[in-house]
């Protein structure tokens, strides 16, 4: 399998190079040169076996089947549920696929537990090391750290804005005690952290010397690993299903589009947003204009521009990288992106729906779902469940629908308690989180100080 850039002018790569590259040299994102078809599920296959079967299609001959299977077995053995991503029924027509049983209680574990292991495997074979540097507002950092903390060939430095993550999110990062993990609390905002990461990547000598690498949501292998749970839901529920996805950077719902493209029996993909609704505005009214982010109860969906949307745009342009690059340049210049009506009708209608829930609606959905079904939803999942309820009530949606539960309620206990009066306890594997010592370095909002720290953080 070869990988091409969405902007059409970077060299084609094989799987392992695309894995390590992250962003393409033309600024685009890597996608497979063609979409393979979904093989039938072997009778009695486990989640890890189904995952290895699907992922092998994208890895090609760059990793042997036994290696892919071992990495999937190890990655999904870290999940606290025997089904890995269990399906739970909420109403007659509405199921929840719980993606939050991984080590850090958010769906990002599904991809990052595997991608961390793939990095280590590929680097070991090549005799290389990398230093992953990333900025986080909460969920990505903890999932990335947990995914690589046991890797021999990967170091990781995660920057987060001091005082601006939840206690659970911070502790999930700072209580990891591993020689290849460093966590930095920056006296600044998330954007400051992200700007410093970008500046370090743009410093070519520093990037080379440190072997800098990234595992942010544009990494192809993360999208790839997420295809599997869409297929899993189709395997378990006979007949066509709709899937509702609480969305931020569009990586998750794009994986759903790939599953559908490969032949999974998916009818509609429902893009659910919070008050930061650029995606919903695009799908419903062709208005993709970036506006400032407002903080919400579902912070992992507080985005201004969805980085993975570029992959969908490439498909909408008939895989014309030049046209995609031009459209993105215009978007950067004007802050607005719109699509020709016939292109929309041909590509989007019948595949995507979109809805939004603001914070008041989110709290209402959490409260109602607890009273009516006894189920605690985290605020991100509640945006999805509320969006399905609104579309259903309007008669716009029909048939079996699965909402992806992207975080465990105990990861966002304040919102859940506010809505239900119940404070969800941490699951057993994290019960001692608040007793463990924290390992964190606090640094000023200053690039030179952070860069100096990264240079000397690891002595091995
Ligand atoms: C990251 C995240 C999302 C958004 O996922 P995208 O792939 O960015 O669309 C939703 N919910 C939770 C809990 C997350 O951590």
């Amino acid at each position: 399998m070869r990988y091409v850039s969405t902007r059409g002018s970077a060299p084609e790569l094989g799987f392992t190079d695309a894995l390590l590259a992250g962003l393409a040299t033309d600024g685009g994102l890597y996608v497979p040169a063609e979409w393979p078809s979904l093989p039938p599920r072997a009778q009695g296959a486990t989640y890890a076996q189904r995952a290895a079967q699907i992922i092998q299609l994208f890895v090609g001959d760059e990793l042997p089947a036994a290696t892919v299977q071992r990495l999937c077995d190890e990655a999904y053995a870290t999940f606290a549920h025997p089904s890995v991503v269990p399906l739970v029924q909420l109403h007659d027509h509405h199921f929840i696929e719980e993606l939050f049983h991984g080590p850090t209680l958010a769906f990002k574990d599904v991809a990052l537990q595997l991608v961390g292991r793939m990095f280590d495997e590929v680097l070991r074979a090549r005799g290389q090391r990398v230093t992953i540097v990333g900025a986080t507002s909460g969920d990505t950092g903890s999932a990335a750290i947990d995914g690589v903390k046991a890797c021999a060939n990967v170091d990781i430095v995660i920057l987060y804005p001091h005082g601006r993550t939840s206690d659970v999110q911070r502790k999930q990062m700072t209580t990891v005690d591993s020689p290849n993990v460093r966590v930095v609390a920056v006296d600044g905002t998330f954007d400051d952290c992200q700007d410093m990461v970008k500046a370090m990547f743009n410093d070519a000598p520093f990037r080379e010397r440190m072997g800098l690498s990234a595992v942010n949501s544009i990494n192809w292998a993360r999208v790839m690993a997420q295809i599997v749970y869409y297929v899993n839901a189709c395997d378990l529920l006979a007949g066509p299903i709709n899937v509702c996805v609480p969305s931020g950077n569009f990586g998750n719902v794009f994986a759903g589009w790939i599953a559908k493209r490969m032949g999974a029996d998916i009818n509609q993909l429902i893009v659910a947003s919070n008050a930061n609704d650029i995606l919903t505005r695009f799908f419903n009214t062709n208005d993709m204009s970036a506006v400032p982010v407002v903080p919400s109860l579902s912070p992992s969906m507080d985005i201004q521009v969805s980085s993975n949307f570029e992959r969908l745009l490439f498909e909408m342009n008939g895989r014309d990288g030049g046209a995609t690059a031009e459209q993105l340049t215009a978007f950067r210049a004007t802050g607005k992106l719109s699509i020709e009506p016939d292109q929309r009708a041909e590509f989007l209608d019948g595949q995507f729906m979109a809805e939004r829930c603001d914070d008041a609606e989110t709290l209402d959905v959490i409260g109602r779902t607890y009273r009516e079904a006894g189920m605690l939803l985290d605020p991100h999942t509640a945006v999805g469940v509320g969006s399905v309820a609104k579309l259903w009530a309007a008669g716009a949606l029909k048939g079996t629908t699965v909402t992806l539960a992207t975080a465990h309620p105990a990861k966002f206990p304040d919102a859940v308690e506010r809505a239900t009066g119940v404070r969800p306890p941490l699951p057993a594997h994290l019960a001692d989180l608040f007793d463990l010592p924290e390992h964190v370095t606090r640094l000023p909002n200053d690039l030179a100080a952070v860069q100096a720290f990264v240079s000397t953080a690891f002595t091995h």
Side-chain angles (χ1 to χ4, degrees):
M1 177 65 84
R2 305 294 293 167
Y3 287 83
V4 298
S5 164
T6 50
R7 299 197 190 172
S9 54
E12 281 189 22
L13 300 179
F15 173 77
T16 49
D17 285 322
L19 169 78
L20 298 178
L23 208 63
T25 51
D26 59 2
L29 312 186
Y30 277 108
V31 285
E34 70 225 32
W35 297 117
S37 315
L38 193 62
R41 173 174 179 263
Q43 181 116 40
T46 62
Y47 185 85
Q49 286 165 340
R50 189 64 159 139
Q53 182 194 31
I54 294 166
I55 286 165
Q56 192 76 49
L57 302 171
F58 295 102
V59 171
D61 57 9
E62 296 206 2
L63 291 173
T67 304
V68 172
Q69 185 62 64
R70 174 175 53 78
L71 296 175
C72 289
D73 287 342
E74 288 172 8
Y76 299 120
T78 66
F79 280 59
H81 195 286
S83 310
V84 183
V85 290
L87 269 179
V88 179
Q89 191 160 18
L90 183 57
H91 296 300
D92 286 350
H93 64 276
H94 195 180
F95 292 77
I96 306 292
E97 191 173 23
E98 294 181 349
L99 305 181
F100 55 67
H101 293 282
T104 73
L105 308 182
F107 88 97
K108 293 184 172 71
D109 289 327
V110 179
L112 284 165
Q113 285 296 318
L114 181 68
V115 171
R117 288 171 170 81
M118 282 193 153
F119 258 70
D120 210 35
E121 178 71 26
V122 167
L123 291 167
R124 186 187 52 73
R126 294 181 176 201
Q128 291 175 4
R129 295 191 69 81
V130 295
T131 305
I132 290 171
V133 178
T136 190
S137 55
D139 288 348
T140 306
S142 53
I145 289 170
D146 207 281
V148 305
K149 69 185 181 191
C151 294
N153 305 289
V154 181
D155 294 319
I156 187 166
V157 182
I158 293 292
L159 315 182
Y160 73 86
H162 178 72
R164 297 183 194 225
T165 62
S166 77
D167 289 347
V168 174
Q169 287 175 322
R170 186 191 75 245
K171 294 253 179 190
Q172 282 181 325
M173 295 189 277
T174 59
T175 58
V176 174
D177 184 10
S178 189
N180 66 333
V181 174
R182 295 288 182 271
V183 178
V184 178
V186 173
D187 285 313
T189 63
F190 169 65
D191 288 333
D192 294 329
C193 296
Q194 202 157 35
D195 287 346
M196 285 197 271
V197 171
K198 279 190 196 144
M200 286 187 263
F201 275 88
N202 287 335
D203 180 342
F206 183 76
R207 188 180 65 215
E208 285 299 307
R209 181 158 49 85
M210 298 302 302
L212 288 196
S213 191
V215 289
N216 48 13
S217 74
I218 54 109
N219 190 293
W220 159 252
R222 282 184 61 179
V223 176
M224 173 187 76
Q226 294 173 177
I227 299 167
V228 179
Y229 49 74
Y230 290 87
V231 174
N232 177 66
C234 292
D235 287 345
L236 296 177
L237 297 167
I241 59 171
N242 309 301
V243 186
C244 178
V245 188
S247 295
N249 273 313
F250 204 75
N252 197 358
V253 63
F254 187 69
W257 179 86
I258 299 170
K260 181 173 162 72
R261 180 74 182 68
M262 291 173 73
D265 201 359
I266 294 171
N267 185 13
Q268 298 278 341
L269 290 160
I270 302 152
V271 180
S273 326
N274 62 27
N276 299 292
D277 62 351
I278 184 168
L279 286 170
T280 299
R281 283 185 282 117
F282 170 74
F283 282 104
N284 290 343
T285 60
N286 204 19
D287 167 24
M288 183 171 277
S289 48
V291 296
V293 171
V294 295
S296 78
L297 293 173
S298 40
S300 299
M301 296 156 61
D302 291 348
I303 51 94
Q304 189 175 30
V305 177
S306 300
S307 48
N308 265 291
F309 187 77
E310 179 165 343
R311 289 188 162 110
L312 187 73
L313 200 59
F314 180 65
E315 299 294 337
M316 291 179 70
N317 286 325
R319 307 200 125 212
D320 179 341
T324 306
E326 263 173 45
Q327 233 170 352
L328 289 163
T329 307
F331 180 48
R332 258 196 310 281
T334 62
K336 282 192 178 9
L337 180 90
S338 59
I339 307 290
E340 296 303 318
D342 56 337
Q343 200 183 12
R344 284 183 66 88
E346 201 176 306
F347 194 87
L348 300 180
D349 295 352
Q351 296 208 72
F352 287 101
M353 301 176 87
E355 190 47 271
R356 51 161 266 159
C357 288
D358 64 19
D359 277 356
E361 292 171 309
T362 302
L363 289 170
D364 184 56
V365 169
I366 298 173
R368 197 153 26 98
T369 305
Y370 181 62
R371 287 193 305 276
E372 291 174 3
M375 190 187 288
L376 290 175
L377 301 178
D378 101 280
H380 303 77
T381 308
V383 167
V385 168
S387 294
V388 168
K390 283 163 89 168
L391 291 167
W392 194 270
L397 186 67
K398 301 218 159 24
T400 305
T401 301
V402 175
T403 295
L404 301 183
T406 52
H408 191 289
K411 195 152 189 180
F412 299 93
D414 297 336
V416 176
E417 187 172 16
R418 220 170 117 191
T420 64
V422 178
R423 193 162 183 89
L426 285 166
H429 64 98
L430 283 170
D432 63 350
L433 187 68
F434 281 80
D435 305 328
L436 298 172
E438 296 191 59
H439 311 273
V440 57
T441 304
R442 188 158 166 194
L443 291 176
N445 183 10
D446 172 50
L447 178 62
V450 171
Q451 217 161 342
F453 175 83
V454 174
S455 307
T456 55
F458 306 102
T459 49
H460 44 255

